[in-house]
Amino acid sequence: MKGNKSAHSRRKLISGLLVMVVIFIVMLGWSIGKNLNSWELRSLQPASAESVSVKNKLTTATMQDLPSAVEPLASASPEVHSSLSAVLTVTQLPQAISKVSTTSSAITAAKKSKKTVYITFDDGPSDNTFNVLEILHQEGVKATFFVLGNQAKSHPELIDSIWEQGHAIGNHTYNHNYHDLYSEFTEFWNQIKQTEEIVQGITGVRPQLIRAPGGTYDHFDNTYFNLLKQAGYKVMDWTVDSGDSKRKGVPASEILKESTMDMKSSQVILLLHDGGGHQESVKALPDIIARYKAAGYDFGLLDETVEPVQFRVSSKATNLGREKPSEAWVASNITPNAELFAPGKPLILEVGKLETKLNPGEYSVRNGQYMVPLRAVIERLGGRVSWDVNSRSGEIDWNGKAIIADVMNKQLILNHPDNGQKTIDARVEMIGGSIWVSLRELLETTGHPPLNISVTEVERRVKTF
């Protein structure tokens, strides 16, 4: 009986000691895991298979396995307990802890020192863009291209290449004309929307990133910043200027030097140009990439999740005294524009035997009615839309019907070859350079009134006769 009590006491004592050792390790902040294997374990006496099993459990234990490895010790035989005194070389724990602590510190330091460079190109695409894309492909690097609308229109194949190779595309206005862009906000807005429609027509995606020609400093006042943000855009300046546009013919060596002046910042947004006349920038690009790689930088893509880098509003820009857009203009342009970038469900249109889809952001819901871009809907359904500058109206040719979308008078006019004209008062608006109309009124005017309108968890659907 005394023997049993003595064995029981020994088991409790050993268990208690083991628990104390574990607590001691945890209090010192030692991350156990695979490093438990670094403990020096003295050989257990091969007195029985049970003792060998316990040793194996200790040797292979990880942090999540530790409780299951320790638990059997409490019920182990006296023979095993008597041999456990030689298992752990506790005096070597400080060395093991120091080793693990050093490793942990190195990992923490690596996380803190992570650096990212965002290479950006303005003013393209041009003939230089092809060479830039070749270099980026060879180096396995992605970049962000802030494109001009007039250049994108002239080089749609390069916009395609940029997009297909996984680079990001931003909006750099249509013609880069400072006088026009910074005379008033509405002019800047019109150029942004014009370029947006061109890029969207090529890639199917609307660029949400905007970079102001010349940067925002001395150009943007609070009206520019606030309205663009309210409309759903992200304005992005830069942190490092390569200097490749400060004068004509800047040599590659100077561009390389300016581009790599700051190699310590955790985030670099580098400004380069791929427009016409920037062959030296292309020439400098491989060395620029090599320098950043050697400095331990990752190469990132700018998108809407990256915190915008923006210059402050200068007193010069504030004192220009530019007239602010009216509340009515803001309500019809800025407010609905934000919906273009909002998440939501696609809108499926079944018209006769045809079916098409408007993605979230390509339509809006106002007062219970779907508002849709006229050109997108008609052209996807096989029709054509042209713009009459003089009458500010869209001319629709669809299924043998000729319809005019009159923005000025907010009317849809159906021209019958035999019965003259039929005029319907309708919601016809200009939003960002595009004609938007009420879907119901458009379908009714064209002879396809809605038969069924449904909304499910995954889509919205309108089916017509």
Side-chain angles (χ1 to χ4, degrees), residues 306-343:
V306 178
E307 189 68 23
V309 170
Q310 298 171 349
F311 301 144
R312 65 178 177 83
V313 175
S314 69
S315 57
K316 175 184 175 181
T318 302
N319 295 330
L320 287 175
R322 291 172 290 204
E323 185 177 350
K324 295 182 180 180
S326 67
E327 292 184 4
W329 185 92
V330 171
S332 63
N333 289 273
I334 299 298
T335 304
N337 194 86
E339 297 178 13
L340 296 175
F341 303 105

Side-chain angles (χ1 to χ4, degrees), residues 114-134:
K114 182 179 179 182
K115 300 185 292 186
T116 304
V117 56
Y118 299 91
I119 297 181
T120 67
F121 295 92
D122 287 9
D123 295 359
S126 74
D127 293 340
N128 290 320
T129 306
F130 177 81
N131 294 324
V132 168
L133 291 173
E134 283 291 306

Side-chain angles (χ1 to χ4, degrees), residues 214-217 225 237-239 309-313:
T216 60
Y217 188 75
F225 276 120
D237 283 309
W238 56 85
T239 64
V309 170
Q310 298 171 349
F311 301 144
R312 65 178 177 83
V313 175

Side-chain angles (χ1 to χ4, degrees), residues 220-342:
F220 271 29
D221 55 21
N222 287 324
T223 296
Y224 278 71
F225 276 120
N226 294 339
L227 290 182
L228 288 173
K229 181 178 180 180
Q230 187 179 336
Y233 296 108
K234 303 285 185 179
V235 176
M236 189 71 68
D237 283 309
W238 56 85
T239 64
V240 175
D241 185 350
S242 68
D244 62 351
S245 275
K246 63 183 179 182
R247 66 179 188 277
K248 187 176 181 179
V250 180
S253 58
E254 187 175 331
I255 295 171
L256 172 62
K257 180 181 178 181
E258 294 294 326
S259 298
T260 55
M261 289 285 284
D262 178 11
M263 305 295 284
K264 295 182 180 179
S265 297
S266 60
Q267 175 178 283
V268 172
I269 298 178
L270 174 62
L271 171 64
L272 287 161
H273 293 80
D274 64 326
H278 285 284
Q279 292 85 351
E280 290 296 300
S281 300
V282 179
K283 184 178 177 180
L285 183 58
D287 289 333
I288 292 173
I289 293 173
R291 292 274 183 96
Y292 277 102
K293 283 184 175 179
Y297 278 85
D298 293 330
F299 293 83
L301 274 178
L302 292 178
D303 59 26
E304 65 278 2
T305 66
V306 178
E307 189 68 23
V309 170
Q310 298 171 349
F311 301 144
R312 65 178 177 83
V313 175
S314 69
S315 57
K316 175 184 175 181
T318 302
N319 295 330
L320 287 175
R322 291 172 290 204
E323 185 177 350
K324 295 182 180 180
S326 67
E327 292 184 4
W329 185 92
V330 171
S332 63
N333 289 273
I334 299 298
T335 304
N337 194 86
E339 297 178 13
L340 296 175
F341 303 105

Side-chain angles (χ1 to χ4, degrees), residues 5-145:
K5 289 183 177 181
S6 177
H8 180 68
S9 298
R10 284 198 301 273
R11 283 196 293 272
K12 290 182 66 177
L13 177 61
I14 294 297
S15 298
L17 288 173
L18 285 172
V19 171
M20 290 177 66
V21 169
V22 173
I23 293 174
F24 174 69
I25 293 170
V26 173
M27 289 178 66
L28 285 173
W30 186 24
S31 177
I32 304 179
K34 294 182 179 179
N35 294 297
L36 271 173
N37 291 332
S38 67
W39 285 6
E40 289 198 14
L41 302 178
R42 296 182 183 175
S43 299
L44 288 170
Q45 297 176 4
S48 69
E50 184 185 6
S51 62
V52 174
S53 174
V54 172
K55 176 184 176 183
N56 288 339
K57 287 181 179 180
L58 280 171
T59 307
T60 61
T62 64
M63 176 62 87
Q64 64 180 18
D65 296 326
L66 190 60
S68 59
V70 174
E71 183 179 1
L73 302 180
S75 58
S77 67
E79 180 185 8
V80 173
H81 283 291
S82 64
S83 64
L84 281 175
S85 60
V87 172
L88 296 174
T89 309
V90 178
T91 56
Q92 294 182 352
L93 282 176
Q95 296 176 356
I97 292 169
S98 176
K99 181 178 179 181
V100 175
S101 178
T102 301
T103 303
S104 178
S105 298
I107 294 172
T108 302
K111 288 181 179 179
K112 288 183 178 179
S113 63
K114 182 179 179 182
K115 300 185 292 186
T116 304
V117 56
Y118 299 91
I119 297 181
T120 67
F121 295 92
D122 287 9
D123 295 359
S126 74
D127 293 340
N128 290 320
T129 306
F130 177 81
N131 294 324
V132 168
L133 291 173
E134 283 291 306
I135 294 169
L136 294 175
H137 177 70
Q138 292 169 6
E139 297 291 342
V141 168
K142 301 299 181 186
T144 304
F145 292 80

